[in-house]
Amino acid sequence: MKKIVLLILTTTVLSGCASIIKGKTQNINVMTSNEKEVEATIFTSAGMQEMNIPRVVTVPKDSQDITINVKEGACNKETVAVVSSHIEPWFWGNIFMGGIWGSSTDSATGAMWQYDDQVTVTIDEKVSCNK
């Protein structure tokens, strides 16, 4: 009986492990290849955000890729970069330890997904630039 109670308690505690350990959002350090500031629009599952990069961006975790559109500027051409999502390693441990309860929690919250912590957007500079 003690083993069953311990098993149920352990399963409950570990369910949603990626949700608990890593959360439902992620900070991504978005940098530019030339280290200069540019205007960009970032498209995520939650919508779009207009901002200047480089900067740290908080995004919701999701299976959907993130698209970064760099606007044409005085010294740069328009550029598009895609940040792909991949499965969070904690999710696999959760399936092993927590079974279907934990994995379904991580799946429902989006916590089973992650992006690279650091992304560099390639900036195509114009030949004739008014610096």
Side-chain angles (χ1 to χ4, degrees):
M1 180 68 169
K2 287 183 182 181
K3 289 182 182 182
I4 292 172
V5 171
L6 183 61
L7 179 63
I8 291 171
L9 182 59
T10 302
T11 300
T12 303
V13 169
L14 292 176
S15 66
C17 195
S19 301
I20 294 167
I21 302 289
K22 295 289 188 165
K24 300 174 191 175
T25 61
Q26 179 179 346
N27 292 331
I28 302 174
N29 186 13
V30 180
M31 300 178 301
T32 57
S33 60
N34 62 1
E35 299 179 359
K36 295 179 183 173
E37 189 172 284
V38 295
E39 291 182 46
T41 304
I42 299 178
F43 296 90
T44 68
S45 61
M48 65 179 228
Q49 303 174 54
E50 292 192 22
M51 62 187 63
N52 290 340
I53 57 173
R55 75 179 300 163
V56 175
V57 179
T58 301
V59 298
K61 290 183 169 186
D62 198 307
S63 62
Q64 178 180 322
D65 293 344
I66 296 171
T67 304
I68 302 171
N69 289 351
V70 174
K71 298 177 183 180
E72 183 173 358
C75 293
N76 64 282
K77 299 176 185 175
E78 184 176 342
T79 306
V80 176
V82 176
V83 182
S84 299
S85 67
H86 46 278
I87 294 179
E88 171 73 58
W90 279 104
F91 177 73
W92 300 115
N94 196 14
I95 287 178
F96 178 71
M97 297 297 290
I100 191 141
W101 293 293
S103 61
S104 61
T105 300
D106 290 344
S107 178
T109 63
M112 72 179 278
W113 300 100
Q114 73 175 6
Y115 301 98
D116 291 338
D117 290 327
Q118 188 167 303
V119 175
T120 302
V121 178
T122 302
I123 302 299
D124 293 325
E125 293 184 340
K126 293 180 178 177
V127 176
S128 58
C129 176
N130 300 328
K131 295 183 179 183

